[in-house]
Amino acid sequence: MGKVGFGMTAGIAAVTCTVAAAVVGRRIRSRRDWRRAVEVVRELEAACGTSVNRLRQVVDAMAVEMHAGLASEGGSKLKMLLTFVDKLPNGSEKGIFYALDIGGTNFRVIRVHLGGRRSGILRHNVERNSIPQHLMTSTSEELFDFIAMSLKQFVDREEEKTSEPSLVSRRELGVTFPFPVKQRCVSSGILMKWTKGFSVADMIGKDVSESLQQSMIKKDLGSMRVAALVNDTVGTLAVGHYNDEDTVAAVIIGTGTNACYLERADAIIKSQGLLMASGGMVVNMEWGDFWSSHLPRTRYDIDLDAESPSPNDQVFEKMISGMYLGDIVRRVVLRISQESGIFGSASSRLSTPFILGTPLMATMHQDDTPDLREVAAILNDVLGIADVSLKARKLIVNICDIITHRAARLVAAGIVGILKKIGRDGSSGVAGGRAKGGGGASSSGGGKSRTVVAIEGSLYTNYTLFREYLNDAVAEILGKEFSPFVILKVTEDGSGIGAALLAASHSPNSADM
Ligand code: GLC
């Protein structure tokens, strides 16, 4: 009995020891997992560092690259494309104009009635259409035929229902085309390359307006003329300037990112040998392609870039814009799940590129429920990671914060870089004079001048933390003395209307001019 009793006791003790050892083992493993996960996030945070000193280096690099890109074609990754827009709308434009605002996967057709004599936009009608998926990888002819057909239907409907006199003999169209275009003049230009994952192979090297115009003729819209072909940033600048004459630059932060600004005539003439009648010209920077050794790039950015269809291109855009932010976060989470067990066994969905879109990332980042319910739901439904502890959810929020914080602050540095180039950041001791429509951003005039930058794009308008980080960083870089003079103004949905305004300001038919 005694023996048996001893044996049982010993057996129970052995089991208890094994269980205890397993528990201790699990605890040690779990502690090790946590340590690893936290290390990965700390390493990420350090690599994404954007101290104000680092941002100032980016500001300087942006200004230097702007000079280099203007000085010679290919002189910088910044293309600094001349737009031939030398007259920004100022309120005197009059008449009815159409616009076609081509986005990534959709386009809008717009009709604008301008009152002239500063009476503004009397009326504008907009219709949204989406581009069928198959057309995005088909031929330019098919793509433009589809767009021209929708435009024709819109024009017919609009002219049927309006009592305004028919404009059949002189319909003019402004087109927003959000890709790098080498302009031949304000109304035509050649597509240099696709960005943002778009690809209609036979379009590269072709004149965008000519292709569209041919489709318009086919669809019985021959009486309509492409009067302005502009980048989306240029459309945004136009509408910003129409509403506020101190607007000298525009930035888009949506699926892609880019900026344009009003350059002084002498800077352009010196560098490009162009003869310009007026005082300045808008330059489309294509800043998505900006590169500098000062950019805080991480292993995740380098991998994302290397695995993209366009390695070494659009490096700035790949660290900033809506097309990419969610995927950077996914890459960090994937690494943590591979190197620690805190997300359970790795889900195959987590390895799928672009499965985590930036809007979902923003929702996780801004989840204000006490138990981070939205984070849990997105991890479960989108990434296939179930039962994540609150501590691990907090880590996810932390990762989103690091990536968005860096992106927003880099945009801020880019904006101040433009201001530096045109003498509006306070560093040269002379702030520019007032910008005039077509007058260029003057670097003379002395004193501090009100400087407005128009901003469009969902990252800025819909993502509160992104916007706050960006605004704070601009103020931080400029300092207390100069930041009150720099105003970032949202021009929601402005780029399409801006194209119509540019069609008007460059049209001989705009009566009041
Ligand atoms: C991409 C395009 C650029 C556009 C920007 C924002 O960077 O190359 O032309 O302005 O996206 O849409």
Side-chain angles (χ1 to χ4, degrees), residues 79 81 177-181 193-196 231-234 252-259 284 286-289 314 317 321:
K79 292 188 188 58
L81 302 170
F177 194 69
F179 299 100
V181 166
K193 64 170 189 179
W194 289 113
T195 49
K196 303 178 282 194
N231 187 257
D232 49 352
T233 53
V234 180
I252 304 262
I253 329 162
T255 307
T257 183
N258 189 14
N284 166 17
E286 285 295 324
W287 86 2
D289 218 3
Q314 305 293 112
E317 182 162 88
S321 77

Side-chain angles (χ1 to χ4, degrees), residues 74 129 172 210 260 267 347 412 430 481:
N129 295 282
E172 281 176 303
E210 248 171 53
C260 73
S347 131
V430 268
E481 200 188 341

Side-chain angles (χ1 to χ4, degrees), residues 91-118:
S92 63
E93 301 75 13
K94 195 173 174 183
I96 291 176
F97 296 87
Y98 286 89
L100 194 54
D101 186 7
I102 302 175
T105 51
N106 52 48
F107 65 99
R108 295 177 310 159
V109 277
I110 301 166
R111 183 177 199 260
V112 182
H113 187 174
L114 304 172
R117 297 191 199 288
R118 294 225 137 264

Side-chain angles (χ1 to χ4, degrees), residues 107 131-150 200 202-203 206 211-212 215 218-219:
F107 65 99
I131 300 178
Q133 192 71 34
H134 72 276
L135 289 184
M136 291 197 258
T137 46
S138 67
T139 63
S140 56
E141 190 179 347
E142 276 178 340
L143 176 67
F144 283 128
D145 280 0
F146 176 79
I147 292 175
M149 187 187 67
S150 308
V200 175
D202 73 332
M203 189 64 219
K206 272 197 190 160
S211 306
L212 176 62
S215 294
K218 269 202 253 166
K219 301 293 169 193

Side-chain angles (χ1 to χ4, degrees), residues 101 106-110 124-131 150 154 157 492-493:
D101 186 7
N106 52 48
F107 65 99
R108 295 177 310 159
V109 277
I110 301 166
H124 83 268
N125 297 336
V126 185
E127 191 180 274
R128 290 181 167 74
N129 295 282
S130 47
I131 300 178
S150 308
F154 175 77
R157 272 197 302 274
E492 247 170 300
D493 286 343

